[in-house]
Amino acid sequence: MASSQHVLLSPAELAYLHASLSLAPPIRPDGRSPTQFRPLVAETGILPGTNGSARICFADGTEAIVGVKAEVERTAQRSGDETVFLEEGGAGGDDDDEEEEAGQGLEKRKGDASWVEMTVEIPGLRDDDSGTAFLAAMLSEALLADGGFTKRLWINRRFHWKLYLDIILISPPLSYPLPLLSLTTHLALLSTRLPRLKSEGDEDPFFDDDWAAAPYLFPRTSSTNIATAKSTTPAAAIRPPITLLVMAVGNNIIFDPSKEELAVADVALAVSVTGSSPSHYAATGTGEEAGRNLRLLSIRTVDPPSRLTPPGLANAANTAYGPSNGTMGTQKMAEARAAETEAAEGVWRPPRGGAKRMVLGALVQKVLERGGVVDEVLDALEGVDSG
Amino acid sequence: MSDRRRVNGPAGTTLPPVFDDAVFEKLDTRNGRSRPPNATRKLFLKTGVTPSASGSAYLEIESSAKPGVSGLKLSCSVHGPRSLPRSAPFSPHIVLSTHVKYAPFATKQRRGYLRDPSERDLGIHLEAALRGAIIADRWPKSGVDIIISIIEGDQDRETSKLQGDEVWDMMNALSGCITVAAAALADAGIDCVDTVAGGVAALVQDAGDGSTPSIVVDPIPSEHEQILAACCVAYLPTRDEVTNLWFRGDLPASDLELYTSIVEHGIQASKNANRVLIDCLSGTVG
């Protein structure tokens, strides 16, 4: 699994790292503050053959590319009250019926989870590796959790867009790639455009071939047209989700951990959230509320690699050095048993057992804080000029 | 060149005729939840069912009163601890590998023999849940395989339309997997800090527009109009710790209490399952 790749740190180094991360305030190896992300370079619209694409490069050298491609697909018909037959849904359909549909179109739209297909490719890992499947499941889960996303892919009752999200990590996985992949996917979806539909009703879809007229999948509401922002429904202003990796060490909560930091984590969580676009909350304008209306979409515990690190041995229990050198036998066994249960200062012990409820609660609360890290990240990504 | 030697079916898809039958109508009506909101379904657990494995367990969750709804049937076998192959790199801990596989006939839609991504995903969740419970450093250089086959998935066969229920069914399956794997681990005599058990709780919207969402434990998707959010918890009762948490849904971030109370209910469900687990294990010892 990607998160549990072996870290080449000795028990002494792990103990030192754990101690420095447990300080108040924590001291991180790269000098960041606990809520600070790694600096990143982002650009969108880099792949001309896609409907939307993005590239993000983190300062530590990890880099990911996401391409979004869309295809028109016939919706599988199920017999039921909403079955459309070719005769009645064709071009010869009566006009009043279609107008009525346009009125209640948004409510009638239905999405299906199978309309989105996500693949994750990580160099050095097999396609069927469980870690890759876990990452893909986590990212698509966040996208599908509210059911609103697939409704955007609805064309008419007979056709829908099938969206393929292909996520490729083009650098070796130097750190757990979840935040990188999630941010890149977010950007790619923000820049995704689908051709403008020209046909009406349940006809076979026919599209405008002018790419400049293609609307964005996530319509952007710039600050200049606040009036239109007001008229859009809150659902339309929802941005694609982002998934953040948060970990707890001692009493500290640390965002976006690097590989070394993750190796001493007591507990690591992947939290997916989504928020409305900033101009929307500016437009709906309850002035005292700073920040977006965030929504919690999914939480998963990530198995921290710290459980797989080698344990340290106190000098007293070490048979090679220390007082017990040479005296083998039952006494040494007893000491070894004691070493297994007691925690000693400066001796690394991989965490055992799970996480306290309070710790999990605190992690989630910290992520969902108003005006917190999520707002910061969403604002920063919104600022990326999408071509 | 088209094939003229055989009588081929029509090129397009066809729909089987659906007759407006009174019997169908009666079956299609959803009946709501018959249990109180904080009661889990009955659980049957038995260890030592596979003689050739070093530890094994079988779990069955009662099907609800509605006919045609199958319960969950899981069988778990634990092989090991055994030494790693010579080619494997040194590991100071036990190497845990988990396989979760739906039987081809376990769900409404047939599953292939190869594990699909959702099954791998379940396997990772299970691994995370168990790794917290096992005292891994007592077996350096060894490995253990935990294999779970889901003989019957917890699915409603009557509901004709697909409503995106699979993911909620996955949560129920995962909580069963965690409980049955803990029983099998104990049967294999692998040291754990505590017996871990899984529990599911969900925020559901019942039929009728006026009703407010409520929290239930051990939800069956077909019994409710809509599931808004659900969480599956793997919980160690004596240490009061959570080894795996999987939450999914759509909740406003301002309402953190709602989230907390869903998790609390999940822990409650896990405690219920744990009681059955303890009874079963102490029954084998005594």
Side-chain angles (χ1 to χ4, degrees):
Chain A
M1 181 187 172
S3 81
S4 55
Q5 281 173 334
H6 283 288
V7 192
L8 298 174
L9 290 177
S10 69
E13 286 167 319
L14 289 168
Y16 177 77
L17 198 54
H18 187 268
S20 69
L21 286 177
S22 321
L23 294 173
I27 298 170
R28 302 176 71 168
D30 45 9
R32 285 183 282 159
S33 76
T35 56
Q36 200 177 356
F37 264 64
R38 281 166 284 185
L40 57 85
V41 179
E43 58 178 327
T44 59
I46 52 159
L47 306 172
T50 59
N51 291 67
S53 59
R55 178 187 77 100
I56 288 188
C57 182
F58 267 154
D60 62 358
T62 51
E63 191 171 1
I65 288 183
V66 173
V68 181
K69 286 192 82 92
E71 281 174 13
V72 177
E73 202 180 61
R74 195 179 278 271
T75 309
Q77 295 283 341
R78 297 183 167 276
S79 56
D81 47 339
E82 295 193 358
T83 313
V84 188
F85 295 101
L86 283 173
E87 298 82 53
E88 59 178 77
D94 40 344
D95 291 340
D96 54 305
D97 185 33
E98 279 172 15
E99 272 166 32
E100 181 196 55
E101 270 168 27
Q104 49 177 261
L106 272 173
E107 293 82 65
K108 270 197 153 184
R109 291 182 173 202
K110 276 187 182 175
D112 192 86
S114 63
W115 295 359
V116 179
E117 201 172 305
M118 191 176 272
T119 60
V120 176
E121 195 178 309
I122 292 170
L125 289 182
R126 285 169 53 126
D127 287 352
D128 56 351
D129 185 84
S130 303
T132 323
F134 188 70
L135 279 173
M138 195 149 32
L139 293 171
S140 61
E141 176 177 88
L143 205 54
L144 301 173
D146 60 348
F149 178 68
T150 48
K151 282 184 191 155
R152 294 171 195 262
L153 304 176
W154 189 90
I155 296 174
N156 56 37
R157 283 186 289 174
R158 288 169 53 227
F159 291 92
H160 63 262
W161 288 108
K162 170 126 187 179
L163 213 61
Y164 295 90
L165 283 130
D166 296 297
I167 305 171
I168 301 179
L169 190 70
I170 55 177
S171 66
L174 302 173
S175 59
Y176 192 53
L178 177 68
L180 172 68
L181 300 186
S182 162
L183 296 188
T184 320
T185 312
H186 176 96
L187 268 187
L189 282 171
L190 272 186
S191 73
T192 300
R193 303 161 86 176
L194 297 173
R196 193 172 66 86
L197 188 67
K198 271 179 139 176
S199 57
E200 290 172 344
D202 291 327
E203 296 170 3
D204 284 0
F206 173 63
F207 297 100
D208 195 345
D209 55 4
D210 182 9
W211 182 245
Y216 283 99
L217 183 61
F218 287 90
R220 38 207 55 225
T221 47
S222 60
S223 49
T224 49
N225 52 2
I226 283 178
T228 54
K230 254 179 195 163
S231 65
T232 53
T233 55
I238 289 288
R239 304 280 89 185
I242 55 170
T243 307
L244 299 184
L245 191 62
V246 201
M247 70 169 201
V249 176
N251 294 321
N252 291 325
I253 294 171
I254 290 170
F255 281 82
D256 189 29
S258 66
K259 187 184 186 184
E260 290 77 24
E261 288 167 333
L262 203 58
V264 294
D266 291 340
V267 54
L269 275 191
V271 186
S272 306
V273 286
T274 183
S276 49
S277 74
S279 50
H280 181 259
Y281 69 71
T284 47
T286 43
E288 77 279 358
E289 289 179 38
R292 314 151 182 265
N293 293 321
L294 298 181
R295 296 190 77 80
L296 175 65
L297 294 180
S298 87
I299 298 175
R300 282 172 181 233
T301 42
V302 174
D303 194 14
S306 52
R307 292 215 181 104
L308 295 173
T309 49
L313 199 59
N315 265 345
N318 196 337
T319 49
Y321 314 98
S324 63
N325 187 8
T327 56
M328 302 290 279
T330 52
Q331 188 200 347
K332 182 219 148 199
M333 290 296 285
E335 275 175 1
R337 186 64 48 85
E340 196 181 72
T341 51
E342 282 170 24
E345 176 75 29
V347 179
W348 170 246
R349 320 195 34 70
R352 185 182 283 178
K356 297 282 180 205
R357 285 187 240 181
M358 304 299 290
V359 176
L360 289 177
L363 279 172
V364 175
Q365 191 175 6
K366 183 82 179 164
V367 173
L368 297 179
E369 226 171 38
R370 241 169 204 287
V373 181
V374 175
D375 270 331
E376 214 172 280
V377 172
L378 282 176
D379 281 338
L381 289 176
E382 198 92 31
V384 176
D385 181 37
S386 58
Chain B
M1 177 84 183
S2 62
D3 181 8
R4 289 193 220 146
R5 286 174 191 267
R6 277 157 284 271
V7 180
N8 287 316
T13 53
T14 54
L15 291 170
V18 179
F19 299 105
D20 191 10
D21 200 341
V23 184
F24 269 113
E25 289 300 314
K26 209 165 68 189
L27 278 177
D28 214 8
T29 53
R30 290 161 174 272
N31 45 1
R33 186 182 167 100
S34 50
R35 293 166 286 142
N38 56 355
T40 50
R41 282 173 289 169
K42 281 183 188 150
L43 207 80
F44 173 78
L45 190 62
K46 188 176 159 70
T47 54
V49 288
T50 317
S52 58
S54 49
S56 60
Y58 173 76
L59 173 118
E60 200 172 311
I61 295 179
E62 107 180 308
S63 54
S64 65
K66 191 174 167 186
V69 179
S70 69
L72 188 66
K73 295 192 176 86
L74 299 173
S75 148
C76 174
S77 54
V78 172
H79 299 276
R82 55 188 172 196
S83 58
L84 286 175
R86 277 176 184 280
S87 55
F90 171 77
S91 160
H93 299 289
I94 198 162
V95 175
L96 199 64
S97 63
T98 51
H99 294 260
V100 178
K101 183 77 194 85
Y102 278 93
F105 44 78
T107 47
K108 253 186 298 191
Q109 265 179 333
R110 182 182 176 274
R111 302 273 182 157
Y113 283 97
L114 290 173
R115 286 195 296 160
D116 67 5
S118 71
E119 289 163 342
R120 290 177 196 283
D121 189 28
L122 277 179
I124 294 265
H125 276 296
L126 180 65
E127 188 182 328
L130 295 179
R131 213 195 284 281
I134 292 179
I135 305 177
D137 45 12
R138 295 214 180 142
W139 282 278
K141 300 180 273 182
S142 51
V144 62
D145 294 316
I146 296 159
I147 295 150
I148 295 185
S149 31
I150 302 178
I151 302 166
E152 210 168 315
D154 199 3
Q155 279 198 344
D156 188 350
R157 277 147 214 267
E158 292 300 335
T159 11
S160 59
K161 57 182 175 187
L162 225 60
Q163 45 195 346
D165 276 341
E166 288 87 356
V167 63
W168 311 120
D169 287 326
M170 260 175 81
M171 282 207 175
N172 274 339
L174 176 64
S175 83
C177 285
I178 292 167
T179 313
V180 75
L185 279 176
D187 188 42
I190 293 174
D191 298 3
C192 294
V193 289
D194 195 0
T195 50
V196 62
V200 183
L203 180 71
V204 297
Q205 175 88 56
D206 277 321
D209 291 330
S211 64
T212 52
S214 59
I215 299 175
V216 296
V217 303
D218 195 10
I220 301 177
S222 60
E223 283 181 352
H224 304 285
E225 183 71 20
Q226 198 190 358
I227 294 191
L228 302 172
C231 103
C232 178
V233 182
Y235 179 71
L236 304 168
T238 52
R239 293 169 69 100
D240 187 26
E241 286 177 346
V242 175
T243 59
N244 188 25
L245 170 71
W246 180 21
F247 172 88
R248 185 189 157 118
D250 186 17
L251 284 186
S254 49
D255 204 355
L256 209 61
E257 273 111 57
L258 197 58
Y259 157 75
T260 317
S261 104
I262 296 176
V263 174
E264 292 296 325
H265 278 81
I267 288 174
Q268 201 56 49
S270 153
K271 279 180 179 162
N272 288 349
N274 208 26
R275 268 203 295 280
V276 179
L277 181 56
I278 297 292
D279 276 354
C280 167
L281 293 178
S282 52
T284 27
V285 172

